[in-house]
Amino acid sequence: MAIRISSRNARFQQLQTLLTNRNKRHRAAEFIVQGVRPITMAVEHGWEIHSLLYDAERHLSQWARGVLAAHPQVEHVKMAPDLLAELAEKDEAELLAVVGMRPDTLDRIETGPDFLGVVFDRPTQPGNIGAIVRSADAFGADGVITTGHAADAYDPKAVRATTGSFFATPVVRAPSSAEVMAWVGERRAAGLPIVVVATDEHGDADVSAFDLTQPVLLLVGSETGGLTRAWLDAADVTLSIPMTGSASSLNAANAATVVLYEARRQRLANG
């Protein structure tokens, strides 16, 4: 089905809310994806495409034509260039995708002997969620969980910051530590000895001195408040990252990246 949007009509306003209104985005259970790599990754990893929006006056690239041709059953929306640019938040976009959300169930995250997962507690910046998801994908983590009152992982800034990794790495929201630890408890009861690892500048051990080859759930605290007391109590160990210079700490995304890299390094060295 093909439609045309040449004015800021009701359909355009509906699309705009997917960018700007978190509640309406989740009520619709869909979000807008921008960029060649993110859209390509969404398609490759089997995410449900609801609509494809494209510039009605532009000669489309072979890539864009290929995406449209591969999805003849979804809504194709020809848009005035200025309206498409408004949704894309940049002028050079030729194609956007409206993609269906996946359920917030922890069972989307695979667990096994090599399990490596990340909890980001109460993140305030969508871009930091995106940065952690990107690092999680790069270093072989199985998924990222956000907990508490948090920024939205489906926010365009978060999705864009992942550069496509959002579609390869499960990202799940959980209300609090209680739900996540119940999930961890089920895995432990089934024989998977997950170790819950927190990061803190006053940690019990240096990150490089701790065995990260075992199943690990890494806890990363809010950029402003760190980890909640509930999460600190749930942690089996607290690790610190050795630092020099005048910086007192790393931001959440950088700290997570360092530990994820160290876990990957140890696992490769362990064969």
Side-chain angles (χ1 to χ4, degrees):
M1 179 178 68
I3 66 170
R4 180 181 290 270
I5 298 179
S6 55
S7 65
R8 288 174 176 78
N9 59 16
R11 177 63 172 134
F12 176 81
Q13 292 172 32
Q14 180 189 35
L15 290 166
Q16 203 168 38
T17 63
L18 299 181
L19 290 175
T20 59
N21 190 308
R22 175 180 184 155
N23 290 335
K24 290 184 178 179
R25 182 163 58 234
H26 282 273
R27 202 174 302 136
E30 59 185 18
F31 61 113
I32 291 180
V33 180
Q34 314 169 21
V36 173
R37 179 170 171 76
I39 292 173
T40 299
M41 293 282 281
V43 171
E44 286 182 357
H45 288 275
W47 285 67
E48 185 178 351
I49 309 298
H50 291 178
S51 304
L52 293 168
L53 324 175
Y54 62 99
D55 189 332
E57 299 178 12
R58 179 173 177 173
H59 178 71
L60 298 178
S61 67
Q62 183 177 352
W63 167 78
R65 295 196 306 272
V67 173
L68 287 164
H71 297 86
Q73 76 284 7
V74 310
E75 180 185 58
H76 290 189
V77 184
K78 297 181 179 181
M79 300 196 66
D82 60 325
L83 298 180
L84 185 69
E86 203 171 314
L87 292 178
E89 302 173 322
K90 57 182 182 178
D91 292 331
E92 65 270 21
E94 60 173 347
L95 181 72
L96 304 178
V98 178
V99 179
M101 293 180 178
R102 289 189 172 175
D104 277 318
T105 169
L106 291 167
D107 290 338
R108 282 181 53 206
I109 300 175
E110 293 185 7
T111 54
D114 297 323
F115 172 70
L116 179 60
V118 183
V119 168
F120 194 176
D121 182 43
R122 299 168 301 142
T124 61
Q125 301 297 324
N128 279 342
I129 298 176
I132 285 182
V133 171
R134 187 175 179 180
S135 292
D137 184 24
F139 297 119
D142 296 288
V144 174
I145 304 164
T146 63
T147 56
H149 183 69
D152 184 16
Y154 288 96
D155 186 292
K157 295 183 181 67
V159 177
R160 193 159 54 238
T162 73
T163 64
S165 291
F166 185 87
F167 302 101
T169 303
V171 183
V172 178
R173 299 175 302 164
S176 70
S177 60
E179 291 79 9
V180 180
M181 289 309 298
W183 174 77
V184 169
E186 290 172 2
R187 268 82 194 144
R188 287 171 169 170
L192 185 67
I194 295 175
V195 178
V196 179
V197 175
T199 54
D200 186 85
E201 58 185 301
H202 306 296
D204 305 320
D206 186 312
V207 64
S208 62
F210 186 77
D211 179 11
L212 294 170
T213 64
Q214 56 193 318
V216 167
L217 182 65
L218 171 65
L219 310 180
V220 181
S222 161
E223 303 93 331
T224 54
L227 288 166
T228 61
R229 172 48 55 189
W231 270 126
L232 290 171
D233 290 344
D236 299 303
V237 64
T238 303
L239 302 182
S240 62
I241 298 169
M243 296 171 54
T244 59
S246 59
S248 61
S249 63
L250 296 172
N251 75 15
N254 288 342
T257 299
V258 169
V259 181
L260 287 167
Y261 169 78
E262 176 61 19
R264 181 63 175 163
R265 186 196 67 77
Q266 289 185 21
R267 291 169 184 217
L268 287 172
N270 200 42

